Amino acid sequence: MRESLRSKIIQVCDEKIAKKGETVGVSFYAFFANRNDDPDALFEAATWWIKVHELDHFEKAVKIREMIRSGQ
């Protein structure tokens, strides 16, 4: 996954955790605007989320952040 997308995911997870606490969940859509302005990045995130790691639609932001930080 490209570094800019990894950074964005960590940033969004950090923001959501700060606002709603450690139990907040996210989906891969949380990292993008409501309009599809970067379909390649959206597809990359969806592939990582669904095909590579077989994650549920919503996962804990803490879990996703740690997966990204560890290089998964």
Side-chain angles (χ1 to χ4, degrees), residues 4 6 21 41-42 50 66 71-72:
S4 60
R6 288 182 175 280
L42 178 63
I50 298 166
E66 293 312 311
Q72 292 185 27

Side-chain angles (χ1 to χ4, degrees), residues 5 8-13 15-16 24-34 42 45 49 57-59 61 64:
L5 184 52
K8 177 69 174 177
I9 290 170
I10 291 170
Q11 174 193 351
V12 170
C13 286
E15 290 170 1
K16 294 211 177 266
V24 68
V26 293
S27 79
F28 66 87
Y29 290 113
F31 313 120
F32 300 94
N34 284 338
L42 178 63
W49 193 286
H57 184 76
F58 282 96
E59 293 286 350
I64 299 302

Side-chain angles (χ1 to χ4, degrees), residues 9 16 18 43 48 51 62-63 69:
I9 290 170
K16 294 211 177 266
F43 185 72
W48 179 90
K51 290 188 87 178
V62 172
K63 174 183 176 178
R69 284 183 177 163

